[in-house]
Amino acid sequence: MAANRVLYNLNEVFCPNDLGRPLRGAEMNEAKILKNAYIAIKDGKILKVGEGEVPEDLIDDSTEMVNLEGKIATPGLIDCHTHLVYGGSREHEFSKKLNGMSYLDILAEGGGILSTQKATREASFEELYDKTEKLANHMMYHGVTTIEAKSGYGLYWDTEKRQMEVVKKLDENLPVDFISTFMAAHAIPEECKENPDEFIDQVIDMLPKVKEENLAEFVDIFCEKGVFNAAQSRKLLTAAKEQGFKTRIHADEIESIGGSSVAAEVKTVSAEHLMMITDEDIKKLAEANVIGNLLPATTFSLIEDTYAPAKKMLEAGMAITLTTDSNPGSCPTANLQFAMQLGCLYMRLTPVEVFNAVTINAAYSVARGDSIGSFDEGKKADITVFDAKNLDYTMYFFATNLVSQVYKNGELVVKDRQLVK
């Protein structure tokens, strides 16, 4: 069968192993790396990958041959934890952070998430759409082909709905795929400060509306001191699962208050952050097969040294991903490559572990392991091409966008760090 398009002469092609589940522990340091390789694409799907000369039966007069000599290719990168839709920005808090004011202290004085929620409520659909589209384009320039995006800067239904509608429309209009997460339980509204249980009940009452209007696939909650406790998190996530949602939980970011135990008990798809996780909870997550979505750029941005203990997690047999946490406060970036490089430099992960984290494991984190994340035949031809001669170079040469091309469903969507019109 002839291909529509063949990428050939690649120095390396990184091929994650798809075991039908996320890679765990030592499996994350294993992958096939093809040399002098090609990728054959048919009808937007992977037809074949291999080494050496392209087989004649893959080529006919209509096949487009793309010479990528001196470059490497990986499955399209997946950013599986972002807060991408928001109004305003928070650079006015930057000097406070530099002067030692903590994230929770800024939140307590009405800044942080609460500041962004006010700006988001005041923003129109068009304003939110345009702002998020620019961020999504930056992510694509950096090699991302699939983005998870959370609500959570509205708290109340009208603004939460508007955020999720923006995600839905972007998914329709942009070449990148969006996976939507409902996260109204991101902070406690001022009027519910004395009774957060009441607000959890309000969020649970929103779930049928989210389901009915097909606005989100996942439900998430911020389990943290001064926000929602373990019991409240368990209540919401259990209700969400009963209504057919997949679940996530922000846990152990600043203090360990039981979020990871809830993740293991409820069997969420993922637990996010985990910078302050205990050894006991690492074991629980490994046994429950909960993916750890790790966010090193957040630790970097908060000027902390509390990077999530990725190596301990792997030693315990956990599956992990790396992701940006792109948001206006604790991690204002759209550069997944930089988060990956921090994974090497500060978490001591190998380049193979890092690329497995942002491809096959991230695919399972967004419940798309059957269609993206590896180069298995029949999966979507989502491909990121780096201007590098080997995998190690992409992590060694840091804080520079090395992506030269991005293919989505087999079509070229980014060339020379610009969208292809």
Side-chain angles (χ1 to χ4, degrees):
M1 181 186 299
N4 303 127
R5 177 177 286 120
V6 177
L7 315 182
Y8 72 103
N9 260 355
L10 285 153
N11 268 38
E12 290 184 354
V13 171
F14 176 78
C15 299
N17 298 317
D18 185 358
L19 305 180
R21 56 166 175 77
L23 301 177
R24 304 171 188 143
E27 296 168 349
M28 288 198 65
N29 204 29
E30 300 170 357
K32 300 181 187 74
I33 299 180
L34 306 181
K35 308 286 186 178
N36 183 27
Y38 62 85
I39 304 171
I41 301 163
K42 177 73 172 178
D43 298 331
K45 305 287 182 66
I46 298 298
L47 178 60
K48 188 175 182 180
V49 295
E51 294 181 315
E53 294 295 321
V54 181
E56 291 183 5
D57 63 349
L58 295 179
I59 305 171
D60 65 15
D61 291 342
S62 65
T63 303
E64 179 187 357
M65 303 296 292
V66 182
N67 187 345
L68 293 176
E69 184 176 1
K71 294 177 171 55
I72 71 167
T74 74
L77 308 184
I78 301 163
D79 200 339
C80 59
H81 176 130
T82 81
H83 301 262
L84 213 60
V85 187
Y86 57 86
S89 59
R90 303 222 296 265
E91 69 275 7
H92 56 283
E93 296 174 2
F94 190 55
S95 60
K96 294 179 180 179
K97 182 168 67 174
L98 294 177
N99 286 320
M101 195 169 186
S102 76
Y103 178 85
L104 292 180
D105 286 341
I106 292 172
L107 180 64
E109 68 169 23
I113 293 171
L114 296 175
S115 169
T116 298
Q117 283 162 350
K118 181 176 185 297
T120 304
R121 288 176 187 173
E122 293 170 354
S124 68
F125 176 92
E126 290 74 18
E127 289 169 334
L128 292 175
Y129 182 97
D130 291 345
K131 187 183 186 73
T132 310
E133 182 181 29
K134 289 179 182 177
L135 285 169
N137 287 342
H138 280 299
M139 289 183 165
M140 284 191 282
Y141 303 151
H142 287 86
V144 171
T145 55
T146 301
I147 301 169
E148 184 262 14
K150 305 176 193 294
S151 67
Y153 292 126
L155 301 191
Y156 296 115
W157 175 244
D158 287 348
T159 313
E160 289 291 310
K161 179 181 178 181
R162 191 182 313 142
Q163 285 186 269
M164 290 183 286
E165 286 176 338
V166 166
V167 172
K168 194 170 186 177
K169 182 59 68 172
L170 287 167
D171 185 51
E172 294 171 0
N173 292 348
L174 297 187
V176 67
D177 285 336
F178 281 85
I179 287 85
S180 179
T181 296
F182 174 56
M183 197 181 173
H186 196 191
I188 304 169
E190 287 296 322
E191 49 270 40
C192 295
K193 278 290 185 186
E194 301 306 314
N195 190 4
D197 289 335
E198 177 186 344
F199 181 65
I200 290 294
D201 289 338
Q202 292 176 20
V203 175
I204 290 172
D205 288 342
M206 297 179 201
L207 293 176
K209 299 178 186 178
V210 178
K211 179 65 71 174
E212 181 182 346
E213 300 190 36
N214 193 29
L215 292 173
E217 184 175 339
F218 286 84
V219 171
D220 200 344
I221 185 170
F222 190 11
C223 183
E224 185 57 69
K225 180 182 177 183
V227 194
F228 300 104
N229 63 31
Q232 292 157 350
S233 300
R234 183 183 299 106
K235 182 177 181 180
L236 173 59
L237 296 178
T238 300
K241 289 194 80 168
E242 289 172 351
Q243 297 190 40
F245 291 96
K246 303 176 185 73
T247 55
R248 309 185 183 282
I249 183 170
H250 282 51
D252 302 337
E253 178 181 0
I254 300 166
E255 293 192 22
S256 180
I257 65 163
S260 289
S261 292
V262 171
E265 179 186 336
V266 177
K267 295 192 184 303
T268 59
V269 174
S270 63
E272 328 289 294
H273 289 287
L274 308 180
M275 287 121 77
M276 304 305 293
I277 191 170
T278 65
D279 291 351
E280 180 182 355
D281 279 340
I282 289 175
K283 183 179 179 182
K284 288 180 182 178
L285 294 185
E287 291 173 348
N289 297 323
V290 175
I291 301 169
N293 285 346
L294 310 184
L295 297 79
T298 303
T299 307
F300 178 87
S301 177
L302 291 174
I303 322 175
E304 300 285 355
D305 60 2
T306 52
Y307 288 88
K311 283 297 190 184
K312 275 189 177 182
M313 293 175 185
L314 295 183
E315 288 166 3
M318 267 185 70
I320 64 171
T321 73
L322 294 175
T323 177
T324 59
D325 191 25
S326 183
N327 72 72
S330 61
C331 199
T333 185
N335 185 347
L336 180 58
Q337 287 177 60
F338 184 57
M340 293 161 64
Q341 290 155 354
L342 292 174
C344 286
L345 295 170
Y346 288 97
M347 294 176 167
R348 298 294 192 267
L349 296 172
T350 68
V352 169
E353 289 168 338
V354 164
F355 274 94
N356 276 328
V358 299
T359 56
I360 190 63
N361 275 17
Y364 280 102
S365 177
V366 296
R368 298 294 188 277
D370 60 342
S371 60
I372 58 176
S374 69
F375 284 135
D376 290 83
E377 182 178 339
K379 286 195 174 185
K380 290 184 178 183
D382 291 359
I383 303 164
T384 301
V385 178
F386 291 86
D387 191 6
K389 291 186 177 181
N390 54 61
L391 201 70
D392 286 356
Y393 189 86
T394 64
M395 296 295 98
Y396 147 82
F397 199 78
F398 68 92
T400 305
N401 185 9
L402 295 176
V403 167
S404 64
Q405 293 183 359
V406 178
Y407 292 82
K408 182 65 183 176
N409 296 318
E411 297 298 322
L412 182 66
V413 295
V414 172
K415 183 178 181 181
D416 299 327
R417 301 164 190 86
Q418 295 294 322
L419 288 180
V420 175
K421 302 297 185 181

